[in-house]
Amino acid sequence: MLLSHKHQFLFVHIAKTGGTSVRTALSKYRWGHKYSLPQFVCSKLSSFTGHRIGAKFPRHSKVIAAKEMLPDEYFEGLFKFVFVRNPWDLQVSSFHHIKRERPQVMQGHDDFESFLKWKFDPERPYQYHIDTSLEFQSDYVVDLHGNVIVDFIGHYESLQEDFDQACDKIGIERIALPHKRKATDRSTYHSYYTDETAELVANYFKRDIEILNYKFDDKA
């Protein structure tokens, strides 16, 4: 999550949706206001204490955290935006990330089909690095009653175009996004799935698919 007091925007960062590029482009807008010094001090103190003092929003906080912690009038005045990603594509991205960075947690399930079936097995013991990618993207954009409370939902599939719209709404110059963590080692996500594994994702992420308006045969 990235908050700019000067430009009155709140970026909600969902993992693996292009958010690292967005954060990089917008990071300079965190500063240049009257609260910059205490914000900087709080950020450093938070890091120094292992984020145990609640002095800043964690990188992947949900929008409800900001709504609960900020004054109502201030929160309502912010332009709140987020980027989301096709759930089937996100699971392919997660598979490659885990296989590259933490293959030991896969417990031998190193091909996509067996990994996905194991991942969605309700009897599987909890494993942080596996289960974080099973979070619902829709949880990042709703309040406690399930109402969408962000002002703009951009899409990974049209990242630059949607980011341009966000910049226009914020009132800053459009910025060419850096290609942070861009994958070049795979074909489109459709080729990874069988009918069975595609249905696994469809059933589990039904709420995301409905709220965020995705379908399996979207263009990558």
Side-chain angles (χ1 to χ4, degrees), residues 83-121:
F83 283 87
V84 298
R85 186 172 185 171
N86 183 299
W88 289 277
D89 187 28
L90 192 148
Q91 290 306 307
V92 172
S93 178
S94 172
F95 166 73
H96 281 283
H97 174 78
I98 293 170
K99 189 172 184 178
R100 181 179 65 251
E101 302 292 336
R102 295 181 175 85
Q104 70 278 6
V105 307
M106 302 177 79
Q107 299 185 18
H109 301 280
D110 54 359
D111 68 274
F112 182 73
E113 183 173 359
S114 70
F115 175 74
L116 207 64
K117 290 180 179 178
W118 173 71
K119 183 178 186 177
F120 283 93
D121 182 355

Side-chain angles (χ1 to χ4, degrees), residues 7-29:
H7 294 275
Q8 292 288 282
F9 70 78
L10 180 73
F11 168 57
V12 180
H13 183 177
I14 302 175
K16 311 199 74 60
T17 62
T20 300
S21 295
V22 173
R23 285 184 65 91
T24 299
L26 295 177
S27 60
K28 64 181 179 181
Y29 294 108

Side-chain angles (χ1 to χ4, degrees), residues 158-187:
S158 51
L159 185 63
Q160 183 65 62
E161 179 182 348
D162 290 354
F163 182 63
D164 287 344
Q165 291 187 53
C167 289
D168 293 344
K169 292 177 181 295
I170 293 168
I172 59 176
E173 291 186 4
R174 293 184 175 187
I175 306 166
L177 287 172
H179 293 289
K180 295 289 184 179
R181 303 180 182 177
K182 184 177 181 181
T184 57
D185 60 347
R186 68 200 67 157
S187 56

Side-chain angles (χ1 to χ4, degrees), residues 5-149:
H5 178 71
K6 182 177 181 180
H7 294 275
Q8 292 288 282
F9 70 78
L10 180 73
F11 168 57
V12 180
H13 183 177
I14 302 175
K16 311 199 74 60
T17 62
T20 300
S21 295
V22 173
R23 285 184 65 91
T24 299
L26 295 177
S27 60
K28 64 181 179 181
Y29 294 108
R30 291 182 297 168
W31 313 109
H33 55 82
K34 63 182 179 180
Y35 301 122
S36 290
L37 180 58
Q39 179 182 345
F40 176 79
V41 172
C42 286
S43 179
K44 292 301 179 182
L45 283 173
S46 182
S47 297
F48 180 74
T49 61
H51 308 294
R52 291 182 176 87
I53 61 173
K56 72 173 186 178
F57 294 119
R59 177 181 293 264
H60 297 301
S61 295
K62 299 174 175 65
V63 72
I64 188 61
K67 180 174 176 57
E68 293 296 305
M69 294 178 68
L70 295 172
D72 289 343
E73 185 177 354
Y74 183 79
F75 177 81
E76 294 301 330
L78 295 171
F79 171 65
K80 300 167 286 292
F81 69 106
V82 66
F83 283 87
V84 298
R85 186 172 185 171
N86 183 299
W88 289 277
D89 187 28
L90 192 148
Q91 290 306 307
V92 172
S93 178
S94 172
F95 166 73
H96 281 283
H97 174 78
I98 293 170
K99 189 172 184 178
R100 181 179 65 251
E101 302 292 336
R102 295 181 175 85
Q104 70 278 6
V105 307
M106 302 177 79
Q107 299 185 18
H109 301 280
D110 54 359
D111 68 274
F112 182 73
E113 183 173 359
S114 70
F115 175 74
L116 207 64
K117 290 180 179 178
W118 173 71
K119 183 178 186 177
F120 283 93
D121 182 355
E123 302 300 319
R124 174 182 57 79
Y126 177 84
Q127 212 293 333
Y128 172 80
H129 297 294
I130 302 295
D131 286 84
T132 51
S133 60
L134 290 174
E135 287 192 331
F136 296 109
Q137 295 179 74
S138 53
D139 283 348
Y140 282 79
V141 305
V142 299
D143 64 13
L144 295 176
H145 304 288
N147 301 309
V148 175
I149 56 172

